[in-house]
Amino acid sequence: MSELTSPTYTRADEAFDCLQTAIVKGELAPGEKIGELELCSRFNLTRGPLREALGRLESRGLLVRRPHAGVKVVSVSASELMELYRIREVMEGLAARQAAERMTDQEIADLQATLNAHERMIDEAQGQAYYQAEGDYDFHHRIATGSRNTKLAQMLLGDLYYMVRMYRYRLSTSTGRPQRALGEHRRIVEAIAQRDGELAEFLMKRHINAARQNIEQKIEQGELTI
Amino acid sequence: MSELTSPTYTRADEAFDCLQTAIVKGELAPGEKIGELELCSRFNLTRGPLREALGRLESRGLLVRRPHAGVKVVSVSASELMELYRIREVMEGLAARQAAERMTDQEIADLQATLNAHERMIDEAQGQAYYQAEGDYDFHHRIATGSRNTKLAQMLLGDLYYMVRMYRYRLSTSTGRPQRALGEHRRIVEAIAQRDGELAEFLMKRHINAARQNIEQKIEQGELTI
DNA sequence: CTCTCCAGTATTGTTGACAATATTTACCCT
DNA sequence: AGGGTAAATATTGTCAACAATACTGGAGAG
């Protein structure tokens, strides 16, 4: 999932990827206390590499450890999820600005093609929130890497997105507003294509702000319980 | 250094802290290839806990590992350092805004006291860049935690600051402009005390931007070689 | 009947030995 | 003499047994 590009793929990498996807997909429920031996038998690992992977995951904030007391998946409250969106707002705003300054013409063309594919997916699989989420993820992923800011991309792709995706899977029934989001995506790409970094940043911040308010509203209405 | 609050302090925590401070202080030079057994004898550890700590540090971007080839301390180029400041600009801007909304009156009073202490340090130990850097670090630290945004504080304190401090130590001879920075700090705290989040964000962004330009200029003049 | 203390158990933390792989060095071939 | 290949070496990756600690259940006292 992450280090497949590396020539050799170590057991610890395997453990890391397995656990990460398991957590993100919700197969390991937040707050659930998990034993090491249980994980070992589940993923065919031994405790050495497993513990190394646990260290990495703890460092990324996906789980918490208490010495001699075990490991449990992190549980994020509603308010903490909102805080994550506030962070995304400023960081992805920066990413969009730098992407506008640095993406190649080819990358921008690919990005536009991605949006077209996304539009087809919305038409064909109406309400299939899963594919919508994947399309959305792809869009933000491309802009993060397009920023050419290594650390920024690392923080977005390695830390924030996994935590957000945790919730995408859990309450996968619709982030709602797919057409609206697509429109916002198009305008962001337009700004990037025109190399208008300032506008791209503004539009991206507003886009994520809207997504946050959408979720906030649903939580208040009790449609989404966390 | 980080988990000393925890009741029990595991070997892996010890290894993590030792290595982190060693990297930050420059005792382990960037780009330097380091062997596990060497580290074990140096810090009186065994390889198990050490490897767990290495996983954490890799995840935080302080070192890179290639399977079977060893570990080396990450080396950050000048341009990458500038990118770090761009990230700090938006993230600490957010932190300042949220701190203005959420810090207690007591915390704000403590923050002002910190600045007074900082002023004395500048007067007494003129040019002692080390203490200036410590004061600066303390200021930004308080605002990050004052934001009450767990993940934001975690990313700033756990990821970014250590990378920046790496350079503070290396080119410890003056970030320059101590009085000027202090004045900027004061104005930020003023805005926070008045609960003006918008202004606090603006001033913080400008403050970090100025620091970035200061370093950039020195690099161009060849005073700081990276 | 409840609360506390103690012992047993199960789980985590640690260690040292074993296996696999990249680097290095030496040798052979061109 | 230079380059390339192959064996040797040293380092990393992995494993299974040992030690230390937190949780659980029961027994006794209030």
Side-chain angles (χ1 to χ4, degrees):
Chain A
M1 220 70 175
S2 67
E3 336 270 354
L4 275 171
T5 55
S6 181
T8 55
Y9 187 63
T10 176
R11 292 292 228 200
D13 294 330
E14 188 184 334
F16 181 77
D17 289 342
C18 286
L19 280 172
Q20 179 158 263
T21 62
I23 291 171
V24 168
K25 289 195 177 183
E27 295 166 13
L28 296 169
E32 184 179 351
K33 190 208 161 205
I34 47 184
E36 293 187 0
L37 42 89
E38 183 191 335
L39 291 176
C40 289
S41 62
R42 187 163 171 173
F43 297 110
N44 273 32
L45 296 162
T46 67
R47 285 184 59 216
L50 178 80
R51 284 178 64 80
E52 201 180 314
L54 291 178
R56 290 196 225 175
L57 288 165
E58 183 191 20
S59 194
R60 295 206 176 180
L62 283 178
L63 47 82
V64 292
R65 291 168 99 176
R66 238 179 34 196
H68 292 101
V71 182
K72 68 175 186 180
V73 180
V74 77
S75 68
V76 180
S77 68
S79 65
E80 284 170 324
L81 182 62
M82 293 302 97
E83 298 297 347
L84 286 182
Y85 271 82
R86 286 243 150 72
I87 301 173
R88 277 188 68 187
E89 189 180 322
V90 297
M91 288 188 75
E92 297 209 39
L94 172 61
R97 191 176 77 209
Q98 295 192 317
E101 297 165 357
R102 300 174 182 176
M103 268 181 140
T104 65
D105 292 340
Q106 181 61 51
E107 283 175 317
I108 295 174
D110 291 347
L111 188 55
Q112 282 164 331
T114 296
L115 288 191
N116 292 334
H118 191 190
E119 186 167 24
R120 282 196 300 277
M121 290 201 303
I122 291 177
D123 290 344
E124 291 169 11
Q126 280 196 353
Q128 293 265 17
Y130 173 77
Y131 291 107
Q132 290 169 26
E134 282 304 303
D136 186 65
Y137 175 72
D138 191 23
F139 173 76
H140 290 279
H141 186 99
R142 281 171 190 267
I143 287 182
T145 56
S147 74
R148 296 285 191 287
N149 188 329
T150 316
K151 188 72 182 176
L152 179 62
Q154 183 186 318
M155 292 174 93
L156 281 172
L157 303 177
D159 282 339
L160 284 179
Y161 285 175
Y162 282 107
M163 300 206 73
V164 174
R165 285 225 292 177
M166 243 172 87
Y167 283 90
R168 279 279 171 72
Y169 273 95
R170 295 250 309 291
L171 30 95
S172 66
T173 53
S174 82
T175 58
R177 55 184 221 110
Q179 285 84 358
R180 195 162 174 177
L182 181 64
E184 290 171 1
H185 286 182
R186 284 213 184 279
R187 292 173 78 178
I188 293 168
V189 175
E190 260 176 52
I192 290 176
Q194 290 166 15
R195 304 298 183 182
D196 188 340
E198 206 171 358
L199 180 60
E201 177 172 17
F202 172 80
L203 291 173
M204 178 63 92
K205 288 178 77 169
R206 199 167 67 172
H207 169 58
I208 292 175
N209 204 28
R212 197 201 76 234
Q213 287 179 342
N214 183 49
I215 295 179
E216 205 163 21
Q217 195 180 338
K218 289 199 175 183
I219 291 174
E220 282 174 9
Q221 293 174 357
E223 292 184 29
L224 302 177
T225 52
I226 297 187
Chain B
M1 220 71 176
S2 69
E3 338 269 353
L4 275 171
T5 56
S6 182
T8 55
Y9 187 63
T10 177
R11 293 291 228 203
D13 294 331
E14 190 185 331
F16 181 76
D17 289 343
C18 287
L19 281 172
Q20 180 158 262
T21 61
I23 292 173
V24 168
K25 288 193 178 183
E27 295 165 14
L28 296 169
E32 183 179 351
K33 190 209 164 202
I34 47 187
E36 292 186 0
L37 43 88
E38 182 190 336
L39 292 175
C40 288
S41 62
R42 186 163 173 175
F43 297 110
N44 273 31
L45 295 161
T46 65
R47 286 184 59 215
L50 178 81
R51 285 178 63 81
E52 202 181 314
L54 291 178
R56 289 196 225 175
L57 288 165
E58 182 191 21
S59 194
R60 295 203 177 182
L62 282 178
L63 47 82
V64 292
R65 290 168 100 176
R66 239 181 33 198
H68 292 101
V71 181
K72 69 176 185 180
V73 180
V74 77
S75 68
V76 181
S77 69
S79 66
E80 284 170 324
L81 182 62
M82 293 301 97
E83 298 297 347
L84 286 181
Y85 270 83
R86 287 245 150 73
I87 301 174
R88 277 188 69 187
E89 188 180 323
V90 297
M91 288 189 76
E92 298 210 38
L94 173 60
R97 190 174 78 208
Q98 295 193 317
E101 297 164 359
R102 299 174 183 176
M103 268 182 143
T104 66
D105 293 339
Q106 182 61 51
E107 283 176 318
I108 294 175
D110 291 347
L111 188 55
Q112 282 164 332
T114 295
L115 288 192
N116 292 334
H118 190 190
E119 186 167 23
R120 282 195 302 277
M121 290 200 303
I122 291 177
D123 290 344
E124 291 170 11
Q126 281 194 352
Q128 294 263 18
Y130 172 77
Y131 291 107
Q132 291 169 25
E134 282 303 304
D136 185 65
Y137 176 71
D138 191 23
F139 172 77
H140 290 281
H141 186 100
R142 282 171 189 267
I143 288 182
T145 56
S147 74
R148 297 283 193 286
N149 189 329
T150 316
K151 187 72 182 177
L152 178 63
Q154 183 185 317
M155 292 173 93
L156 281 171
L157 303 176
D159 281 339
L160 283 180
Y161 285 176
Y162 283 106
M163 299 206 74
V164 174
R165 287 225 290 176
M166 245 172 85
Y167 283 90
R168 279 279 171 74
Y169 274 95
R170 295 248 313 289
L171 30 97
S172 66
T173 54
S174 83
T175 58
R177 55 184 222 109
Q179 285 84 0
R180 196 163 175 174
L182 180 64
E184 291 171 1
H185 286 182
R186 284 213 183 280
R187 293 172 79 176
I188 291 168
V189 175
E190 259 175 53
I192 290 175
Q194 291 167 14
R195 305 297 183 182
D196 188 342
E198 207 173 359
L199 180 59
E201 178 171 15
F202 172 79
L203 290 173
M204 178 64 91
K205 287 178 76 169
R206 200 169 64 172
H207 169 58
I208 292 175
N209 203 28
R212 196 201 78 232
Q213 287 178 343
N214 182 50
I215 295 179
E216 205 163 21
Q217 195 180 338
K218 289 200 175 183
I219 291 174
E220 281 175 8
Q221 293 173 0
E223 293 184 28
L224 302 177
T225 51
I226 298 187

